[in-house]
Amino acid sequence: MYCRCIFTSIIVLPLRDVPLMPTGGYGDIVDGNITDDKLKKEKITIYVEHPRPIKPPAEPAPPPPQPLKLTKKEHKKLRTQRRLAREKDRQEMIRQDLLEPLKPKVKMSNLMKVLGSEATQDPTKLEMEIRVAAAEREQAHVDRNLSRMLTPAECREKEERKLFDDPSTLETIVSVYKINDLSHPNTHFKVDVNTQENRLTGCAVVSEGISVVVVEG
């Protein structure tokens, strides 16, 4: 017992061929040929007929927003606004007893203004306390700066990100250099190291009389 399967295929007529066929199909084609009397010749003109536009199945994603470049004055204004907002939040938390109020910053210049009559009770002890507090504030300032300071590796990464990962740079710069002699190994090494450090790609054509180096990046 066996089964015989018959496969049939349906030929879909392209939209560009429909106006040329009288029957709207390929039934008039015999052995791959068709006569002139079975074509609508009035549809054949000297003009180029473009295919009918078809809507895509999905809308393309919107382009990412371009970063807005600010001037130095605008950067300074934004920093001032952020600093004032932080100070306002801190004062509000102090009013709600969520934070302890800061101690008055006593210095030798404003000693009498801040402490008043307390400054005359034991001036020597008070002066020592003021100097110790001033030294602690200065050391805390230095420690904060050191904690924010970038390591050499982070500095290099930041510099590379600033030079090579700029989203506003859309074009690629290509340069062609003419070199008289590129056969010496030292010259090869210098070109190789220079391209690696600057993240450049390209090729070089070396000949006896002249050499050409093409780089992009």
Side-chain angles (χ1 to χ4, degrees):
M1 181 178 180
Y2 65 93
C3 296
R4 184 175 64 178
C5 298
I6 300 174
F7 296 94
T8 60
S9 60
I10 300 174
I11 301 176
V12 180
L13 190 66
L15 295 177
R16 64 178 179 272
D17 294 342
V18 171
L20 302 177
M21 298 296 179
T23 60
Y26 289 133
D28 297 331
I29 299 177
V30 179
D31 296 333
N33 298 320
I34 187 171
T35 58
D36 294 342
D37 57 345
K38 294 182 179 180
L39 284 177
K40 294 182 179 179
K41 288 189 175 182
E42 64 273 8
K43 297 293 184 179
I44 301 176
T45 61
I46 61 173
Y47 303 106
V48 177
E49 185 175 353
H50 296 279
R52 186 181 304 172
I54 301 175
K55 292 184 178 181
E59 293 295 331
Q66 295 295 330
L68 182 63
K69 289 191 175 182
L70 303 177
T71 61
K72 290 185 178 180
K73 188 175 182 180
E74 291 172 338
H75 277 295
K76 185 177 180 181
K77 185 177 180 180
L78 287 177
R79 285 196 301 268
T80 303
Q81 291 176 352
R82 287 195 295 265
R83 185 171 63 250
L84 292 177
R86 286 197 304 267
E87 182 64 22
K88 186 177 180 180
D89 294 341
R90 189 181 64 82
Q91 291 178 0
E92 186 64 28
M93 294 180 71
I94 290 175
R95 291 193 192 98
Q96 297 176 3
D97 293 335
L98 298 176
L99 287 178
E100 294 183 0
L102 297 177
K103 296 180 180 179
K105 189 181 293 184
V106 183
K107 297 184 291 185
M108 298 301 296
S109 58
N110 62 354
L111 176 63
M112 297 300 298
K113 185 185 296 185
V114 175
L115 298 179
S117 60
E118 297 180 5
T120 59
Q121 296 178 2
D122 194 351
T124 306
K125 180 181 178 182
L126 194 59
E127 180 182 355
M128 183 64 66
E129 292 177 355
I130 291 173
R131 294 189 184 279
V132 170
E136 290 178 354
R137 288 197 300 269
E138 184 178 0
Q139 185 61 36
H141 175 72
V142 173
D143 293 340
R144 285 195 301 270
N145 288 344
L146 289 176
S147 64
R148 287 194 296 264
M149 188 179 298
L150 299 178
T151 61
E154 291 174 342
C155 288
R156 286 193 298 270
E157 183 180 355
K158 180 181 178 181
E159 188 68 23
E160 290 180 358
R161 188 167 59 251
K162 185 188 300 183
L163 291 176
F164 303 110
D165 297 340
D166 189 3
S168 61
T169 304
L170 301 178
E171 69 276 1
T172 301
I173 300 175
V174 180
S175 301
V176 181
Y177 299 96
K178 171 187 173 183
I179 303 174
N180 294 330
D181 186 13
L182 197 60
S183 59
H184 200 279
N186 288 346
T187 311
H188 274 267
F189 177 76
K190 290 178 182 179
V191 172
D192 187 20
V193 171
N194 198 354
T195 53
Q196 290 181 8
E197 289 180 350
N198 294 283
R199 293 189 181 182
L200 302 174
T201 58
C203 62
V205 179
V206 182
S207 61
E208 295 181 359
I210 188 175
S211 301
V212 178
V213 178
V214 182
V215 294
E216 65 175 2

